[in-house]
PDB file of all heavy atoms in Angstrom:
ATOM      1  N   GLN K   1       7.654  -9.647  11.447  1.00 97.00           N
ATOM      2  CA  GLN K   1       7.507  -8.367  11.905  1.00 97.00           C
ATOM      3  C   GLN K   1       6.370  -7.717  11.087  1.00 97.00           C
ATOM      4  O   GLN K   1       5.767  -8.254  10.159  1.00 97.00           O
ATOM      5  CB  GLN K   1       8.566  -7.422  11.487  1.00 97.00           C
ATOM      6  CG  GLN K   1       9.905  -7.694  12.208  1.00 97.00           C
ATOM      7  CD  GLN K   1      11.060  -6.815  11.655  1.00 97.00           C
ATOM      8  OE1 GLN K   1      11.121  -6.381  10.387  1.00 97.00           O
ATOM      9  NE2 GLN K   1      11.957  -6.275  12.517  1.00 97.00           N
ATOM     10  N   LYS K   2       5.804  -6.613  11.690  1.00 98.00           N
ATOM     11  CA  LYS K   2       4.776  -5.866  11.184  1.00 98.00           C
ATOM     12  C   LYS K   2       5.474  -4.434  10.881  1.00 98.00           C
ATOM     13  O   LYS K   2       6.211  -4.037  11.630  1.00 98.00           O
ATOM     14  CB  LYS K   2       3.512  -5.712  12.124  1.00 98.00           C
ATOM     15  CG  LYS K   2       2.697  -7.078  12.153  1.00 98.00           C
ATOM     16  CD  LYS K   2       1.552  -6.759  13.067  1.00 98.00           C
ATOM     17  CE  LYS K   2       0.547  -8.008  13.089  1.00 98.00           C
ATOM     18  NZ  LYS K   2       1.030  -9.140  13.694  1.00 98.00           N
ATOM     19  N   THR K   3       4.840  -3.757   9.807  1.00 98.00           N
ATOM     20  CA  THR K   3       5.424  -2.356   9.587  1.00 98.00           C
ATOM     21  C   THR K   3       4.309  -1.641   8.901  1.00 98.00           C
ATOM     22  O   THR K   3       3.315  -2.209   8.491  1.00 98.00           O
ATOM     23  CB  THR K   3       6.656  -2.416   8.641  1.00 98.00           C
ATOM     24  OG1 THR K   3       7.293  -1.166   8.604  1.00 98.00           O
ATOM     25  CG2 THR K   3       6.398  -2.996   7.163  1.00 98.00           C
ATOM     26  N   LEU K   4       4.374  -0.395   8.942  1.00 98.00           N
ATOM     27  CA  LEU K   4       3.346   0.546   8.345  1.00 98.00           C
ATOM     28  C   LEU K   4       3.892   0.930   6.887  1.00 98.00           C
ATOM     29  O   LEU K   4       4.949   1.131   6.648  1.00 98.00           O
ATOM     30  CB  LEU K   4       3.215   1.819   9.184  1.00 98.00           C
ATOM     31  CG  LEU K   4       2.244   2.742   8.517  1.00 98.00           C
ATOM     32  CD1 LEU K   4       0.793   2.329   8.751  1.00 98.00           C
ATOM     33  CD2 LEU K   4       2.370   4.157   9.140  1.00 98.00           C
ATOM     34  N   SER K   5       2.908   0.815   5.994  1.00 98.00           N
ATOM     35  CA  SER K   5       2.931   1.403   4.756  1.00 98.00           C
ATOM     36  C   SER K   5       1.890   2.454   4.439  1.00 98.00           C
ATOM     37  O   SER K   5       0.706   2.314   4.752  1.00 98.00           O
ATOM     38  CB  SER K   5       2.745   0.234   3.676  1.00 98.00           C
ATOM     39  OG  SER K   5       2.582   0.875   2.330  1.00 98.00           O
ATOM     40  N   ILE K   6       2.374   3.674   3.984  1.00 98.00           N
ATOM     41  CA  ILE K   6       1.467   4.654   3.552  1.00 98.00           C
ATOM     42  C   ILE K   6       1.550   4.823   2.139  1.00 98.00           C
ATOM     43  O   ILE K   6       2.645   5.108   1.503  1.00 98.00           O
ATOM     44  CB  ILE K   6       1.590   5.919   4.249  1.00 98.00           C
ATOM     45  CG1 ILE K   6       1.486   5.774   5.863  1.00 98.00           C
ATOM     46  CG2 ILE K   6       0.562   6.992   3.707  1.00 98.00           C
ATOM     47  CD1 ILE K   6       1.781   7.125   6.487  1.00 98.00           C
ATOM     48  N   ILE K   7       0.573   4.639   1.312  1.00 98.00           N
ATOM     49  CA  ILE K   7       0.484   5.292  -0.067  1.00 98.00           C
ATOM     50  C   ILE K   7       0.100   6.618  -0.062  1.00 98.00           C
ATOM     51  O   ILE K   7      -1.120   6.889   0.269  1.00 98.00           O
ATOM     52  CB  ILE K   7      -0.351   4.243  -1.004  1.00 98.00           C
ATOM     53  CG1 ILE K   7       0.142   2.766  -0.983  1.00 98.00           C
ATOM     54  CG2 ILE K   7      -0.464   4.897  -2.402  1.00 98.00           C
ATOM     55  CD1 ILE K   7      -0.803   1.930  -1.679  1.00 98.00           C
ATOM     56  N   LYS K   8       0.974   7.542  -0.347  1.00 98.00           N
ATOM     57  CA  LYS K   8       0.744   9.040  -0.344  1.00 98.00           C
ATOM     58  C   LYS K   8      -0.223   9.514  -1.265  1.00 98.00           C
ATOM     59  O   LYS K   8      -0.537   8.894  -2.349  1.00 98.00           O
ATOM     60  CB  LYS K   8       2.029   9.656  -0.362  1.00 98.00           C
ATOM     61  CG  LYS K   8       2.983   9.298   0.930  1.00 98.00           C
ATOM     62  CD  LYS K   8       4.242   9.980   0.774  1.00 98.00           C
ATOM     63  CE  LYS K   8       5.223   9.725   2.085  1.00 98.00           C
ATOM     64  NZ  LYS K   8       6.452  10.520   1.991  1.00 98.00           N
ATOM     65  N   PRO K   9      -0.566  10.705  -1.136  1.00 98.00           N
ATOM     66  CA  PRO K   9      -1.560  11.354  -2.039  1.00 98.00           C
ATOM     67  C   PRO K   9      -1.201  11.493  -3.409  1.00 98.00           C
ATOM     68  O   PRO K   9      -1.987  11.284  -4.289  1.00 98.00           O
ATOM     69  CB  PRO K   9      -1.764  12.961  -1.481  1.00 98.00           C
ATOM     70  CG  PRO K   9      -1.401  12.754  -0.040  1.00 98.00           C
ATOM     71  CD  PRO K   9      -0.351  11.632   0.103  1.00 98.00           C
ATOM     72  N   ASP K  10       0.106  11.629  -3.789  1.00 97.00           N
ATOM     73  CA  ASP K  10       0.669  11.609  -5.215  1.00 97.00           C
ATOM     74  C   ASP K  10       0.310  10.390  -5.856  1.00 97.00           C
ATOM     75  O   ASP K  10      -0.208  10.272  -6.996  1.00 97.00           O
ATOM     76  CB  ASP K  10       1.991  12.130  -5.390  1.00 97.00           C
ATOM     77  CG  ASP K  10       3.071  11.297  -4.440  1.00 97.00           C
ATOM     78  OD1 ASP K  10       2.718  10.890  -3.370  1.00 97.00           O
ATOM     79  OD2 ASP K  10       4.148  10.933  -5.014  1.00 97.00           O
ATOM     80  N   ALA K  11       0.714   9.334  -5.270  1.00 98.00           N
ATOM     81  CA  ALA K  11       0.575   8.023  -5.777  1.00 98.00           C
ATOM     82  C   ALA K  11      -0.952   7.496  -5.826  1.00 98.00           C
ATOM     83  O   ALA K  11      -1.293   6.886  -6.840  1.00 98.00           O
ATOM     84  CB  ALA K  11       1.350   6.889  -5.045  1.00 98.00           C
ATOM     85  N   TYR K  12      -1.642   7.935  -4.756  1.00 98.00           N
ATOM     86  CA  TYR K  12      -3.043   7.548  -4.837  1.00 98.00           C
ATOM     87  C   TYR K  12      -3.742   8.214  -5.945  1.00 98.00           C
ATOM     88  O   TYR K  12      -4.571   7.607  -6.743  1.00 98.00           O
ATOM     89  CB  TYR K  12      -3.708   7.979  -3.471  1.00 98.00           C
ATOM     90  CG  TYR K  12      -5.147   7.656  -3.344  1.00 98.00           C
ATOM     91  CD1 TYR K  12      -5.632   6.467  -2.867  1.00 98.00           C
ATOM     92  CD2 TYR K  12      -6.231   8.608  -3.752  1.00 98.00           C
ATOM     93  CE1 TYR K  12      -6.982   6.372  -2.644  1.00 98.00           C
ATOM     94  CE2 TYR K  12      -7.482   8.451  -3.761  1.00 98.00           C
ATOM     95  CZ  TYR K  12      -7.848   7.225  -3.158  1.00 98.00           C
ATOM     96  OH  TYR K  12      -9.254   6.861  -3.050  1.00 98.00           O
ATOM     97  N   LYS K  13      -3.502   9.507  -6.058  1.00 97.00           N
ATOM     98  CA  LYS K  13      -4.234  10.390  -7.025  1.00 97.00           C
ATOM     99  C   LYS K  13      -3.798   9.924  -8.530  1.00 97.00           C
ATOM    100  O   LYS K  13      -4.666   9.816  -9.429  1.00 97.00           O
ATOM    101  CB  LYS K  13      -3.785  11.749  -7.031  1.00 97.00           C
ATOM    102  CG  LYS K  13      -4.426  12.704  -7.954  1.00 97.00           C
ATOM    103  CD  LYS K  13      -4.192  14.157  -7.685  1.00 97.00           C
ATOM    104  CE  LYS K  13      -4.762  15.017  -8.709  1.00 97.00           C
ATOM    105  NZ  LYS K  13      -4.301  16.482  -8.544  1.00 97.00           N
ATOM    106  N   ALA K  14      -2.525   9.336  -8.688  1.00 98.00           N
ATOM    107  CA  ALA K  14      -2.180   8.875  -9.978  1.00 98.00           C
ATOM    108  C   ALA K  14      -2.638   7.462 -10.367  1.00 98.00           C
ATOM    109  O   ALA K  14      -2.262   7.030 -11.273  1.00 98.00           O
ATOM    110  CB  ALA K  14      -0.692   8.960 -10.049  1.00 98.00           C
ATOM    111  N   GLY K  15      -3.348   6.888  -9.420  1.00 98.00           N
ATOM    112  CA  GLY K  15      -3.897   5.602  -9.564  1.00 98.00           C
ATOM    113  C   GLY K  15      -2.894   4.403  -9.546  1.00 98.00           C
ATOM    114  O   GLY K  15      -3.024   3.413 -10.141  1.00 98.00           O
ATOM    115  N   HIS K  16      -1.756   4.579  -8.599  1.00 98.00           N
ATOM    116  CA  HIS K  16      -0.673   3.531  -8.568  1.00 98.00           C
ATOM    117  C   HIS K  16      -0.999   2.635  -7.475  1.00 98.00           C
ATOM    118  O   HIS K  16      -0.011   1.784  -7.201  1.00 98.00           O
ATOM    119  CB  HIS K  16       0.561   4.237  -8.406  1.00 98.00           C
ATOM    120  CG  HIS K  16       1.109   5.159  -9.483  1.00 98.00           C
ATOM    121  ND1 HIS K  16       1.024   4.658 -10.862  1.00 98.00           N
ATOM    122  CD2 HIS K  16       1.548   6.346  -9.623  1.00 98.00           C
ATOM    123  CE1 HIS K  16       1.473   5.612 -11.746  1.00 98.00           C
ATOM    124  NE2 HIS K  16       1.684   6.705 -10.904  1.00 98.00           N
ATOM    125  N   THR K  17      -1.955   2.712  -6.647  1.00 98.00           N
ATOM    126  CA  THR K  17      -2.237   1.894  -5.540  1.00 98.00           C
ATOM    127  C   THR K  17      -2.200   0.415  -5.835  1.00 98.00           C
ATOM    128  O   THR K  17      -1.357  -0.426  -5.121  1.00 98.00           O
ATOM    129  CB  THR K  17      -3.671   2.227  -4.843  1.00 98.00           C
ATOM    130  OG1 THR K  17      -3.614   3.460  -4.395  1.00 98.00           O
ATOM    131  CG2 THR K  17      -3.815   1.302  -3.642  1.00 98.00           C
ATOM    132  N   ASN K  18      -2.859  -0.077  -6.853  1.00 98.00           N
ATOM    133  CA  ASN K  18      -2.751  -1.481  -7.123  1.00 98.00           C
ATOM    134  C   ASN K  18      -1.489  -2.019  -7.552  1.00 98.00           C
ATOM    135  O   ASN K  18      -0.880  -3.098  -7.182  1.00 98.00           O
ATOM    136  CB  ASN K  18      -3.845  -1.884  -8.225  1.00 98.00           C
ATOM    137  CG  ASN K  18      -5.263  -1.859  -7.649  1.00 98.00           C
ATOM    138  OD1 ASN K  18      -5.481  -1.906  -6.514  1.00 98.00           O
ATOM    139  ND2 ASN K  18      -6.250  -1.697  -8.508  1.00 98.00           N
ATOM    140  N   ALA K  19      -0.671  -1.220  -8.346  1.00 98.00           N
ATOM    141  CA  ALA K  19       0.645  -1.568  -8.838  1.00 98.00           C
ATOM    142  C   ALA K  19       1.449  -1.599  -7.535  1.00 98.00           C
ATOM    143  O   ALA K  19       2.464  -2.483  -7.499  1.00 98.00           O
ATOM    144  CB  ALA K  19       1.050  -0.589  -9.825  1.00 98.00           C
ATOM    145  N   ILE K  20       1.412  -0.714  -6.672  1.00 98.00           N
ATOM    146  CA  ILE K  20       2.299  -0.629  -5.534  1.00 98.00           C
ATOM    147  C   ILE K  20       2.005  -1.780  -4.595  1.00 98.00           C
ATOM    148  O   ILE K  20       3.035  -2.537  -4.172  1.00 98.00           O
ATOM    149  CB  ILE K  20       2.101   0.701  -4.664  1.00 98.00           C
ATOM    150  CG1 ILE K  20       2.786   1.923  -5.545  1.00 98.00           C
ATOM    151  CG2 ILE K  20       2.697   0.641  -3.232  1.00 98.00           C
ATOM    152  CD1 ILE K  20       2.390   3.300  -5.019  1.00 98.00           C
ATOM    153  N   ASN K  21       0.815  -2.191  -4.449  1.00 98.00           N
ATOM    154  CA  ASN K  21       0.511  -3.312  -3.675  1.00 98.00           C
ATOM    155  C   ASN K  21       0.922  -4.688  -4.301  1.00 98.00           C
ATOM    156  O   ASN K  21       1.342  -5.568  -3.594  1.00 98.00           O
ATOM    157  CB  ASN K  21      -0.987  -3.354  -3.245  1.00 98.00           C
ATOM    158  CG  ASN K  21      -1.316  -2.384  -2.165  1.00 98.00           C
ATOM    159  OD1 ASN K  21      -0.570  -1.901  -1.381  1.00 98.00           O
ATOM    160  ND2 ASN K  21      -2.670  -1.996  -2.083  1.00 98.00           N
ATOM    161  N   SER K  22       0.873  -4.672  -5.662  1.00 98.00           N
ATOM    162  CA  SER K  22       1.403  -5.878  -6.348  1.00 98.00           C
ATOM    163  C   SER K  22       2.888  -5.942  -5.894  1.00 98.00           C
ATOM    164  O   SER K  22       3.397  -7.156  -5.721  1.00 98.00           O
ATOM    165  CB  SER K  22       1.268  -5.730  -7.881  1.00 98.00           C
ATOM    166  OG  SER K  22      -0.118  -5.947  -8.115  1.00 98.00           O
ATOM    167  N   MET K  23       3.671  -4.869  -5.867  1.00 98.00           N
ATOM    168  CA  MET K  23       5.048  -4.893  -5.742  1.00 98.00           C
ATOM    169  C   MET K  23       5.385  -5.441  -4.309  1.00 98.00           C
ATOM    170  O   MET K  23       6.239  -6.203  -4.018  1.00 98.00           O
ATOM    171  CB  MET K  23       5.771  -3.559  -6.035  1.00 98.00           C
ATOM    172  CG  MET K  23       5.824  -3.194  -7.499  1.00 98.00           C
ATOM    173  SD  MET K  23       6.429  -1.497  -7.707  1.00 98.00           S
ATOM    174  CE  MET K  23       8.117  -1.781  -7.379  1.00 98.00           C
ATOM    175  N   ILE K  24       4.481  -4.836  -3.297  1.00 98.00           N
ATOM    176  CA  ILE K  24       4.644  -5.225  -1.913  1.00 98.00           C
ATOM    177  C   ILE K  24       4.395  -6.683  -1.753  1.00 98.00           C
ATOM    178  O   ILE K  24       5.181  -7.546  -1.103  1.00 98.00           O
ATOM    179  CB  ILE K  24       3.566  -4.367  -1.073  1.00 98.00           C
ATOM    180  CG1 ILE K  24       3.995  -3.020  -1.040  1.00 98.00           C
ATOM    181  CG2 ILE K  24       3.461  -5.066   0.240  1.00 98.00           C
ATOM    182  CD1 ILE K  24       2.978  -2.065  -0.440  1.00 98.00           C
ATOM    183  N   GLU K  25       3.253  -7.283  -2.370  1.00 98.00           N
ATOM    184  CA  GLU K  25       3.005  -8.691  -2.237  1.00 98.00           C
ATOM    185  C   GLU K  25       3.945  -9.625  -2.914  1.00 98.00           C
ATOM    186  O   GLU K  25       4.361 -10.610  -2.415  1.00 98.00           O
ATOM    187  CB  GLU K  25       1.556  -8.951  -2.728  1.00 98.00           C
ATOM    188  CG  GLU K  25       0.533  -8.193  -1.766  1.00 98.00           C
ATOM    189  CD  GLU K  25      -0.846  -8.333  -2.249  1.00 98.00           C
ATOM    190  OE1 GLU K  25      -1.116  -8.361  -3.448  1.00 98.00           O
ATOM    191  OE2 GLU K  25      -1.744  -8.347  -1.424  1.00 98.00           O
ATOM    192  N   ASN K  26       4.494  -9.168  -4.078  1.00 98.00           N
ATOM    193  CA  ASN K  26       5.481  -9.947  -4.804  1.00 98.00           C
ATOM    194  C   ASN K  26       6.785 -10.036  -4.129  1.00 98.00           C
ATOM    195  O   ASN K  26       7.474 -10.897  -4.368  1.00 98.00           O
ATOM    196  CB  ASN K  26       5.764  -9.370  -6.230  1.00 98.00           C
ATOM    197  CG  ASN K  26       4.559  -9.452  -7.191  1.00 98.00           C
ATOM    198  OD1 ASN K  26       3.776 -10.457  -6.891  1.00 98.00           O
ATOM    199  ND2 ASN K  26       4.422  -8.804  -8.260  1.00 98.00           N
ATOM    200  N   ALA K  27       7.064  -9.035  -3.208  1.00 98.00           N
ATOM    201  CA  ALA K  27       8.233  -9.103  -2.367  1.00 98.00           C
ATOM    202  C   ALA K  27       8.147 -10.109  -1.226  1.00 98.00           C
ATOM    203  O   ALA K  27       9.134 -10.428  -0.462  1.00 98.00           O
ATOM    204  CB  ALA K  27       8.611  -7.779  -1.832  1.00 98.00           C
ATOM    205  N   GLY K  28       6.857 -10.654  -0.993  1.00 98.00           N
ATOM    206  CA  GLY K  28       6.573 -11.705   0.129  1.00 98.00           C
ATOM    207  C   GLY K  28       5.937 -11.050   1.380  1.00 98.00           C
ATOM    208  O   GLY K  28       6.144 -11.627   2.459  1.00 98.00           O
ATOM    209  N   LEU K  29       5.498  -9.770   1.182  1.00 98.00           N
ATOM    210  CA  LEU K  29       4.858  -9.204   2.374  1.00 98.00           C
ATOM    211  C   LEU K  29       3.349  -9.334   2.218  1.00 98.00           C
ATOM    212  O   LEU K  29       2.846  -9.481   1.094  1.00 98.00           O
ATOM    213  CB  LEU K  29       5.196  -7.661   2.426  1.00 98.00           C
ATOM    214  CG  LEU K  29       6.630  -7.367   2.795  1.00 98.00           C
ATOM    215  CD1 LEU K  29       7.046  -5.862   2.372  1.00 98.00           C
ATOM    216  CD2 LEU K  29       7.082  -7.569   4.186  1.00 98.00           C
ATOM    217  N   ILE K  30       2.767  -9.498   3.440  1.00 98.00           N
ATOM    218  CA  ILE K  30       1.276  -9.684   3.402  1.00 98.00           C
ATOM    219  C   ILE K  30       0.550  -8.385   3.895  1.00 98.00           C
ATOM    220  O   ILE K  30       1.056  -7.816   4.917  1.00 98.00           O
ATOM    221  CB  ILE K  30       0.939 -10.796   4.299  1.00 98.00           C
ATOM    222  CG1 ILE K  30       1.462 -12.208   3.745  1.00 98.00           C
ATOM    223  CG2 ILE K  30      -0.718 -11.028   4.393  1.00 98.00           C
ATOM    224  CD1 ILE K  30       1.442 -13.268   4.833  1.00 98.00           C
ATOM    225  N   ILE K  31      -0.381  -7.999   3.247  1.00 98.00           N
ATOM    226  CA  ILE K  31      -1.145  -6.854   3.586  1.00 98.00           C
ATOM    227  C   ILE K  31      -2.262  -7.321   4.520  1.00 98.00           C
ATOM    228  O   ILE K  31      -3.293  -7.950   4.216  1.00 98.00           O
ATOM    229  CB  ILE K  31      -1.798  -6.056   2.490  1.00 98.00           C
ATOM    230  CG1 ILE K  31      -0.714  -5.534   1.531  1.00 98.00           C
ATOM    231  CG2 ILE K  31      -2.607  -4.955   2.906  1.00 98.00           C
ATOM    232  CD1 ILE K  31      -1.209  -4.979   0.181  1.00 98.00           C
ATOM    233  N   VAL K  32      -2.003  -7.049   5.906  1.00 97.00           N
ATOM    234  CA  VAL K  32      -2.880  -7.664   7.041  1.00 97.00           C
ATOM    235  C   VAL K  32      -4.039  -6.646   7.165  1.00 97.00           C
ATOM    236  O   VAL K  32      -5.182  -7.213   7.378  1.00 97.00           O
ATOM    237  CB  VAL K  32      -1.998  -7.715   8.262  1.00 97.00           C
ATOM    238  CG1 VAL K  32      -2.901  -8.072   9.400  1.00 97.00           C
ATOM    239  CG2 VAL K  32      -0.819  -8.578   8.112  1.00 97.00           C
ATOM    240  N   LYS K  33      -3.947  -5.329   7.180  1.00 98.00           N
ATOM    241  CA  LYS K  33      -4.921  -4.503   7.344  1.00 98.00           C
ATOM    242  C   LYS K  33      -4.659  -3.281   6.360  1.00 98.00           C
ATOM    243  O   LYS K  33      -3.662  -2.908   5.992  1.00 98.00           O
ATOM    244  CB  LYS K  33      -5.042  -3.854   8.771  1.00 98.00           C
ATOM    245  CG  LYS K  33      -5.352  -4.843   9.842  1.00 98.00           C
ATOM    246  CD  LYS K  33      -5.440  -4.273  11.235  1.00 98.00           C
ATOM    247  CE  LYS K  33      -5.802  -5.279  12.228  1.00 98.00           C
ATOM    248  NZ  LYS K  33      -5.876  -4.779  13.635  1.00 98.00           N
ATOM    249  N   LYS K  34      -5.830  -2.675   6.002  1.00 98.00           N
ATOM    250  CA  LYS K  34      -5.714  -1.573   4.972  1.00 98.00           C
ATOM    251  C   LYS K  34      -6.930  -0.553   5.161  1.00 98.00           C
ATOM    252  O   LYS K  34      -8.155  -1.126   5.361  1.00 98.00           O
ATOM    253  CB  LYS K  34      -5.742  -2.125   3.614  1.00 98.00           C
ATOM    254  CG  LYS K  34      -5.896  -1.102   2.527  1.00 98.00           C
ATOM    255  CD  LYS K  34      -5.854  -1.479   1.046  1.00 98.00           C
ATOM    256  CE  LYS K  34      -6.063  -2.875   0.609  1.00 98.00           C
ATOM    257  NZ  LYS K  34      -5.914  -2.980  -0.845  1.00 98.00           N
ATOM    258  N   LYS K  35      -6.662   0.651   5.126  1.00 97.00           N
ATOM    259  CA  LYS K  35      -7.837   1.585   5.015  1.00 97.00           C
ATOM    260  C   LYS K  35      -7.403   2.858   4.283  1.00 97.00           C
ATOM    261  O   LYS K  35      -6.293   3.265   4.313  1.00 97.00           O
ATOM    262  CB  LYS K  35      -8.360   1.897   6.517  1.00 97.00           C
ATOM    263  CG  LYS K  35      -7.413   2.630   7.510  1.00 97.00           C
ATOM    264  CD  LYS K  35      -8.061   2.839   8.840  1.00 97.00           C
ATOM    265  CE  LYS K  35      -7.084   3.271   9.801  1.00 97.00           C
ATOM    266  NZ  LYS K  35      -7.689   3.328  11.227  1.00 97.00           N
ATOM    267  N   GLU K  36      -8.467   3.385   3.713  1.00 98.00           N
ATOM    268  CA  GLU K  36      -8.232   4.794   3.076  1.00 98.00           C
ATOM    269  C   GLU K  36      -8.759   5.742   3.960  1.00 98.00           C
ATOM    270  O   GLU K  36      -9.778   5.679   4.660  1.00 98.00           O
ATOM    271  CB  GLU K  36      -9.112   4.696   1.828  1.00 98.00           C
ATOM    272  CG  GLU K  36      -9.080   5.958   1.017  1.00 98.00           C
ATOM    273  CD  GLU K  36     -10.029   5.916  -0.165  1.00 98.00           C
ATOM    274  OE1 GLU K  36     -10.214   4.810  -0.877  1.00 98.00           O
ATOM    275  OE2 GLU K  36     -10.763   6.939  -0.559  1.00 98.00           O
ATOM    276  N   LEU K  37      -8.093   6.943   4.045  1.00 97.00           N
ATOM    277  CA  LEU K  37      -8.433   8.115   4.724  1.00 97.00           C
ATOM    278  C   LEU K  37      -7.958   9.334   4.291  1.00 97.00           C
ATOM    279  O   LEU K  37      -6.989   9.399   3.441  1.00 97.00           O
ATOM    280  CB  LEU K  37      -8.018   7.800   6.205  1.00 97.00           C
ATOM    281  CG  LEU K  37      -6.625   7.544   6.591  1.00 97.00           C
ATOM    282  CD1 LEU K  37      -5.994   8.847   7.150  1.00 97.00           C
ATOM    283  CD2 LEU K  37      -6.613   6.423   7.626  1.00 97.00           C
TER     284      LEU K  37
END
């Protein structure tokens, strides 16, 4: 399956993007596409 993930403004501002993405990937999910906006 594919699903959407949004890293929200609070987590982005706090600098948690890389840690969140590590948790996503460690769970066995692949980040297929990504964009900042």
